Structure formats: C-alpha cells, structure tokens
Amino acid sequence: MSIKTVSRALNDAPHVSTDARERVRAAAAKLDYHPNIAAQSLIARRSYLIGLTYERPSPSYVVELQNGALARLEDSRFRLVVLPFRDVANRPTELGRLLVRAGLDGVVLAPPACDQDDLLEMLDRQKLPYARITPHREMARGIVATIDEVAAGHAIAAHLLSIGHRRIGIIMGDPSHAACAARMEGYRRAFAEAGAAIDDHLIVTGDFTYDVGYAVAADLLRRAPQPTAILAQNDDMAVAAMAAVRDRGMAVPADVSVAGFDDSEVSRTAWPQLTTVRQPVSELAWDATDRLIAALETERDGSSKYAASPAPRGDHAHELFVRSSTAPPR
Amino acid sequence: MSIKTVSRALNDAPHVSTDARERVRAAAAKLDYHPNIAAQSLIARRSYLIGLTYERPSPSYVVELQNGALARLEDSRFRLVVLPFRDVANRPTELGRLLVRAGLDGVVLAPPACDQDDLLEMLDRQKLPYARITPHREMARGIVATIDEVAAGHAIAAHLLSIGHRRIGIIMGDPSHAACAARMEGYRRAFAEAGAAIDDHLIVTGDFTYDVGYAVAADLLRRAPQPTAILAQNDDMAVAAMAAVRDRGMAVPADVSVAGFDDSEVSRTAWPQLTTVRQPVSELAWDATDRLIAALETERDGSSKYAASPAPRGDHAHELFVRSSTAPPR
DNA sequence: GCAACGACGGTAAACGTTGTCATAAGCAGG
DNA sequence: CCTGCTTATGACAACGTTTACCGTCGTTGC
C-alpha cells in the first residue's frame, strides 16, 4: 500500500476502497500513528489555530466566550489559542503584530479590540481573517456577530421605569468600549418614552470591574437626592453596587433597586439574584467562530475571487430577566 | 546575503556580524516578514503549543489558571491552547488521544485530570510531557505544582472551631477530585485537635458548582440540629450556601457562618465577603508552566539522558482570609 | 474486443525553514 | 608568508506530509 493511499484514507479523500480505508484506520489506531500536524500545516498553509482575544473582562464573560468558540471547534481540527490583551486602545499595532506572529488562521475579536480601527486595518493588510463580537463601528467590516445593544439597554431601563423608578443612577462601563454609548442610548430612549429625563448628576463611570464599580457606586449613593435604583452596564458592577448599598445599611431591593447587563453567571450566584438583560455571549462566540471557519473553508476551496460575498450579519436577540434585585420604589 | 544568514540573524545565532544582524532586522520589519511557524515546527519537532486542560470548574478558577499560564508564556514563542474536558474520569483514553492529536509540546493538567492514572499512563507512552496542578496521588510523577491541601483544610476548619462553632455542616466537592479527601482530612485533624468530632450526619456532597451546592446546602439546613456553620470545599458552593441560608430567612453570619475554599474572585464579590483559604492558582499555573517549559528546553538541548533529574516539587503556601461571613455562634 | 473507469503503485516535487558542509574573504598575530 | 579566527557564502539535505503525473491492473458496459 502506498503512502498516498494512506494519506487519502485518513483524509476521507476519494479513490480509496472502503476496505482499504478500514485497514488503514485499524493499522493507524494500533500503531497510534498521528499525521504530523506541522507538516500538514506547512503544505496546506494552514495552522489550524483560531485565536480568541479579549481584554480584562469579567471571568464569566471570558468563560462564556471561550465555551462558545470551543463548542464550535469541537470535532474540527482547529484548536483555540487564547490571547488576552492589555490596553488595546493605546497600542493596537503592537497587538496586531502579536496576532500575526502567533501564526493563526483567523481570530475572534471580543470588545474592545473589535472596534480598534488600527488593529482591523493591520489585520486586513496582513490578510488575517477576523470575526468581531458585538462591535459598534464599521459594522460592515469583516464577520460580525452582534446583538442590538441599544434595544437591550432600552429593555432594562424600561423595566425600571415601568415599575415606577425615576431617580435612577447609572454606572457606565469602560469608555473605551463602544458598547457603553449604545447601551446609554437605549437608556435614553426608554426615559424619553416614559416622559422622564436622565439626571446627568446621577451618571458615574466605572470600567466593568467589581472594585471600581464598588467605588463609583458608593460615590453615587452619597449624592442627594439619592437614587431609588441603580442601572449598571454590566453584572459585575451591579453586584458591586448591591454591596455598596448594603454597606451603607440599606437593603436591595427594598431601599434601592439594582439592575445589571449581560446575564453573566454572577447575576445568578448573587443574592438577591440580579435583574439583568441577557447578552448571549456563548452563542455570539459560536456564531462568530462558525462563520470565521466557513470563510476559511471557502477561501481554501479556490473560489476566493467571488467567495468574498458579504457575510450575512449575525444578529442575536437579547432577553430580559427580571429577578429579585428590582422592585417598585417605596 | 544568503538565506541562512537571515535565519541566523533572526534567531540570534552566532556567526553573524552585528551590522548584518541589524540590516536583516530592519528589512524584516519593513517587509513585515515573519518566519513560517509550520516550517519551523516541522524541523524543530516542536509545535510551540502548550495545552491547558480543566474540567467544568468555576469561571474564576479557569481564568486564574489561564492567567498564570499565560503570564509565563508571554514573550516566549509558546502559545496556549485551551482544552476543557468533560467527564475525564470515565473516558481517560479518549481524552488522552485528544491531547496527543492536538500536537502539543506539553500539557498542564488541572484537577481532576491530573489524578487520572490512565491518562498519565497514556501521556507517558506517547512521550507527551505534562505538569500537574495540585495532584493528590503519585506525587512523584511528572512535574508537580501543589499546595498542602490538608494543611489548608486544617486552617479553615480550625478558624471555625476557634471562634466557637462545633455543629459544622460540611459540603464536599466532586468526589472524583482527590482534593476533597485531602481537605476533609485537614478538617478532621482540626476537629481532633479541638477535641471535637465531625458529625457524619452533617456532611453532604456537591460537585463544586453553585446549583448543586445550593441544593445540598438547603438540604443540610433542614436537618436537626441545624448547623451553626457551614464549611464548603470551594467558594462557589459557599456562596450558594449563603443564598440558601438567606432564602430560609436567616442571616450570614448572624445565624449561620459560612466558609469556603480557594479565595476565588467570587469570595470577594460576594456579600458579605467570604472567609476562605487562598489557593494560589495563578502562581501554581505559572510554576507548572515554567517547569514544563524548562523540561522541554533541557530535553531539546540534547542532554536528554541525564536531564531527567527529578524536578523539585513545587510547594506553594496557602493563606487564610478571615472576612465577614464567619462570626462566633450565638 | 474495446473503451471507460476505479483502485492502487511508483516517482518526484512542493511547502519554508534550519543544519551540515565545504569554501572563501578579511584581518590579526607570529 | 603562514596560521588561526571571524564572517559570510553557496550547495544540499532534511523535517513529514500532500499533490501531481504516469502507469498498471481488473472490472464493467457496450
């Protein structure tokens, strides 16, 4: 049996009888032979590596992101390389270089990297395909999986307004994430529809982390008139806000209601459980990875000239979860 | 200039003048040329990929693990591939095959994979180097980074006993993790030193997750006499226990004290903050990765015959954090 | 009996880098 | 001038696959 026949058999290529294929399979298993991936990569000009980048998000966000991507990669020959970034905003080219040097076939960009023009520019130049998760600018660029964050922000704010809150404190996320503005825009629309106005005095800025969230929430609670509800732009800061409320001797939701954003795991392990709006991070990551791989496949199948048809934009639905951290003001 | 000179220049090899090296560097930067990693891998018989495996742990544990490994890999040419497992205990060989087929240079095994004899056996056979994080069996096998979990278990139990608790409920983790028995042994010793005995009636078994932790904690609280304190084998289950206590209308720590294990992020974002014992997961992962890479380097440097000196066992210290979730019984 | 086709062997080339080898130029010290 | 060292050069093999081309054999259909 020639070496090519073996190669064909293991790669499900035609021109091999099922009998021969079986024998090859059996022999490979017995000798536990595995084709050398480096050699395959060399000839296929494919590393079979997909990168996943993110920057200092909450643990549950990272894990959901990874799980989504990994779920898609399971049973494929692609492997997932994690590449956390620090400070994408200030050194996009350095990080672009890192991505290119990692020898990836493609990369999934979570916020805020997905909105860094310089980075995208560099990836385009290097012909490194990318998929973007919940970007907020240049929505037509590359593969995009997203939710309508304006609508999601609207949903959560509308909930607080509908149960009677008007003095609502807002904890913004890291301003370098374009998502912040989108969520805020959703809040604004909900206020407008309710015939209310946002009190700029009750807006503070965090960075999506618990610690900073706690500090700015405590600051917020010292202001007069005190808000009857707090709207945080992610769950970690919302949980921090609950702690700040209680540390001032008040109760959630009796004295102050708190709502978050993301429906991350912490929203369910918090007590009381957090009212929040779900961002289907796992599905988004799955979808982004799926379309990225699809793009790689068609690219390889030669028809690269007209395969660059605009990928359908992946819109996913948000979902409001009203739990125990919100109640009407007294 | 010949191609080898370029190769030498980029790899900091000798026999190249500094002048030539500079010119090569400059040209490479201008053309943004990057050596093909697949070709390098092929000839070096090195993929420059390190795997990290874990199984369904809490998000903060995963993230700490990854951060530790990634911190070590930064500025090295190695990249991190994540390979979460499901149900290692029941299909070790299948997962071993997955590791081998991923073409890794080495793999970091977190619990419970680090204690699967069949898996280790297979990795030995395939000559795939591995580092184990907090294993509990065959401690001499492979590279090991660990803490003394018996001592850590002792520390946290001794704290509860020292402030006066005697009726202490215990929430065990997933029995397939050997760590459970070690932590339990630490508890036992602390009880013995305090002249107390563990009430087997107050032991329940979870699986390290919040949901199951909540269920068994609720079960525990229905037993009479009710425990005055709960000792959970990780922080997620401890947080679940706090929720169960409050859902029965009682307060933490006024009515029931709760202590955890790990000092994971959730212990600090919980309210009240959790008394726990720190397991330095990041450092453990850093250390494991570091020694794994060191082993790979010496292996490559030819002297593989006598380089197999027993790596020093990496023992790290635990640390007790007494926070607000524990208080003397009333 | 002949053409078409599928299965398979042989041989060689290709992927992009590094290692080996022989060799030469430039420069110092004897 | 010879010797030894450093720097650089070209030719070539090697890593382990896949692919391309060419050819043989047996089977099937007409």
Side-chain angles (χ1 to χ4, degrees):
Chain A
M1 178 167 304
S2 81
I3 183 173
K4 316 177 300 302
T5 310
V6 174
S7 174
R8 286 218 191 84
L10 294 175
N11 290 322
D12 288 315
H15 302 295
V16 180
S17 65
T18 48
D19 170 60
R21 199 182 298 277
E22 281 313 309
R23 292 205 322 271
V24 169
R25 285 263 154 82
K30 193 154 82 182
L31 302 172
D32 43 45
Y33 161 82
H34 300 285
N36 182 305
I37 299 184
Q40 291 181 319
S41 296
L42 183 56
I43 193 158
R45 293 130 190 268
R46 271 282 129 82
S47 63
Y48 302 110
L49 292 176
I50 300 290
L52 174 65
T53 79
Y54 51 86
E55 175 173 349
R56 210 184 33 152
S58 63
S60 46
Y61 187 88
V62 176
V63 168
E64 279 199 58
L65 212 49
Q66 290 185 0
N67 285 347
L70 285 164
R72 173 59 185 81
L73 262 33
E74 201 165 339
D75 300 323
S76 85
R77 62 200 311 178
F78 287 91
R79 296 155 290 174
L80 188 72
V81 176
V82 295
L83 300 149
F85 276 178
R86 280 194 298 269
D87 206 10
V88 184
N90 290 325
R91 34 180 205 167
T93 54
E94 183 181 338
L95 299 167
R97 194 153 23 228
L98 199 120
L99 289 181
V100 173
R101 289 201 6 205
L104 307 170
D105 284 347
V107 61
V108 176
L109 303 173
C114 61
D115 282 319
Q116 281 298 319
D117 289 345
D118 295 345
L119 179 59
L120 300 184
E121 191 63 43
M122 182 158 183
L123 296 180
D124 281 338
R125 234 182 5 245
Q126 301 278 353
K127 307 242 184 300
L128 177 56
Y130 51 84
R132 303 158 70 205
I133 292 182
T134 58
H136 289 85
R137 332 168 24 141
E138 313 228 30
M139 304 301 288
R141 198 164 179 178
I143 292 165
V144 168
T146 193
I147 64 171
D148 184 343
E149 295 204 64
V150 175
H154 177 275
I156 188 81
H159 161 69
L160 282 180
L161 290 159
S162 75
I163 58 177
H165 291 278
R166 287 298 178 274
R167 269 203 324 285
I168 300 177
I170 293 174
I171 304 180
M172 304 284 289
D174 183 330
S176 76
H177 290 233
C180 295
R183 294 175 192 178
M184 189 67 181
E185 174 59 22
Y187 298 166
R188 276 194 203 288
R189 290 192 194 170
F191 272 75
E193 285 174 15
I198 291 182
D199 182 353
D200 287 343
H201 192 59
L202 292 182
I203 299 177
V204 294
T205 298
D207 67 350
F208 289 129
T209 67
Y210 181 93
D211 289 339
V212 173
Y214 183 93
V216 298
D219 184 31
L220 189 58
L221 289 168
R222 277 192 292 271
R223 300 185 182 175
Q226 210 177 45
T228 64
I230 293 178
L231 198 43
Q233 284 198 336
N234 79 342
D235 289 338
D236 286 56
M237 297 193 298
V239 169
M242 292 208 290
V245 167
R246 285 193 282 240
D247 282 343
R248 282 180 72 84
M250 297 180 293
V252 176
D255 299 307
V256 180
S257 287
V258 176
F261 201 107
D262 279 354
D263 188 46
S264 61
E265 180 165 318
V266 71
S267 71
R268 274 154 282 149
T269 62
W271 196 92
Q273 292 197 334
L274 200 60
T275 291
T276 189
V277 57
R278 171 168 147 82
Q279 191 179 185
V281 179
S282 273
E283 285 93 330
L284 288 166
W286 193 97
D287 186 25
T289 310
D290 183 53
R291 307 224 316 278
L292 182 58
I293 289 182
L296 295 176
E297 299 294 353
T298 62
E299 179 183 310
R300 191 177 55 172
D301 292 350
S303 51
S304 56
K305 287 156 209 155
Y306 56 93
S309 62
R313 176 156 146 211
D315 275 328
H316 295 251
H318 68 265
E319 203 173 344
L320 178 66
F321 287 100
V322 176
R323 293 199 272 242
S324 319
S325 69
T326 50
R330 56 172 161 202
Chain B
M1 181 169 304
S2 80
I3 183 173
K4 308 178 307 302
T5 308
V6 173
S7 171
R8 286 218 189 84
L10 293 176
N11 291 319
D12 288 317
H15 302 295
V16 179
S17 65
T18 47
D19 169 59
R21 197 182 301 276
E22 281 315 309
R23 291 202 326 267
V24 169
R25 285 263 153 80
K30 192 154 82 184
L31 302 172
D32 45 42
Y33 160 83
H34 300 285
N36 181 305
I37 300 185
Q40 292 180 319
S41 296
L42 183 57
I43 192 158
R45 294 128 190 269
R46 271 282 129 81
S47 63
Y48 302 109
L49 293 175
I50 300 290
L52 175 64
T53 79
Y54 51 85
E55 174 173 349
R56 210 185 32 156
S58 62
S60 46
Y61 187 89
V62 176
V63 169
E64 281 200 55
L65 212 50
Q66 290 184 2
N67 285 347
L70 286 164
R72 174 59 185 82
L73 262 33
E74 200 165 341
D75 300 325
S76 85
R77 62 198 310 176
F78 288 91
R79 297 154 291 173
L80 189 71
V81 175
V82 295
L83 299 149
F85 276 179
R86 280 194 299 268
D87 204 12
V88 184
N90 290 324
R91 35 179 204 166
T93 54
E94 184 182 337
L95 299 168
R97 194 152 25 228
L98 199 123
L99 288 181
V100 172
R101 283 186 32 191
L104 307 169
D105 285 347
V107 61
V108 176
L109 304 172
C114 62
D115 283 319
Q116 282 296 320
D117 289 345
D118 295 345
L119 179 60
L120 300 184
E121 191 64 43
M122 181 159 185
L123 297 179
D124 282 337
R125 232 179 11 244
Q126 302 278 354
K127 306 246 184 298
L128 177 57
Y130 52 85
R132 304 157 69 205
I133 291 182
T134 59
H136 289 86
R137 336 173 15 144
E138 314 228 26
M139 304 299 290
R141 201 163 177 179
I143 292 165
V144 167
T146 193
I147 64 168
D148 184 344
E149 294 204 63
V150 175
H154 177 277
I156 188 81
H159 161 68
L160 282 180
L161 289 159
S162 75
I163 58 177
H165 292 279
R166 288 297 179 274
R167 270 203 325 284
I168 301 177
I170 293 174
I171 303 180
M172 304 284 288
D174 184 331
S176 75
H177 289 234
C180 295
R183 293 174 194 179
M184 190 65 181
E185 174 59 22
Y187 298 166
R188 276 195 203 288
R189 289 191 196 171
F191 272 75
E193 285 174 14
I198 292 182
D199 183 351
D200 287 342
H201 192 61
L202 293 181
I203 300 178
V204 293
T205 298
D207 66 350
F208 289 130
T209 68
Y210 180 93
D211 289 339
V212 173
Y214 183 94
V216 298
D219 185 30
L220 189 58
L221 290 168
R222 278 192 293 271
R223 299 183 183 176
Q226 210 178 46
T228 62
I230 291 178
L231 198 44
Q233 285 199 335
N234 79 340
D235 289 337
D236 286 56
M237 297 193 298
V239 170
M242 291 207 292
V245 167
R246 286 193 281 239
D247 282 343
R248 282 180 72 82
M250 298 181 291
V252 177
D255 299 307
V256 180
S257 287
V258 176
F261 201 107
D262 279 354
D263 188 46
S264 60
E265 179 165 319
V266 70
S267 70
R268 274 154 281 149
T269 62
W271 195 92
Q273 292 197 333
L274 200 60
T275 291
T276 189
V277 57
R278 172 168 148 80
Q279 192 178 186
V281 178
S282 272
E283 284 93 330
L284 288 167
W286 193 97
D287 186 25
T289 309
D290 182 54
R291 306 224 317 277
L292 182 58
I293 289 182
L296 294 177
E297 298 294 353
T298 63
E299 179 184 309
R300 191 178 57 173
D301 292 351
S303 51
S304 55
K305 288 158 210 154
Y306 56 91
S309 61
R313 175 156 147 213
D315 276 327
H316 295 250
H318 68 264
E319 203 174 344
L320 178 67
F321 287 99
V322 176
R323 293 198 272 243
S324 317
S325 69
T326 50
R330 58 173 162 200

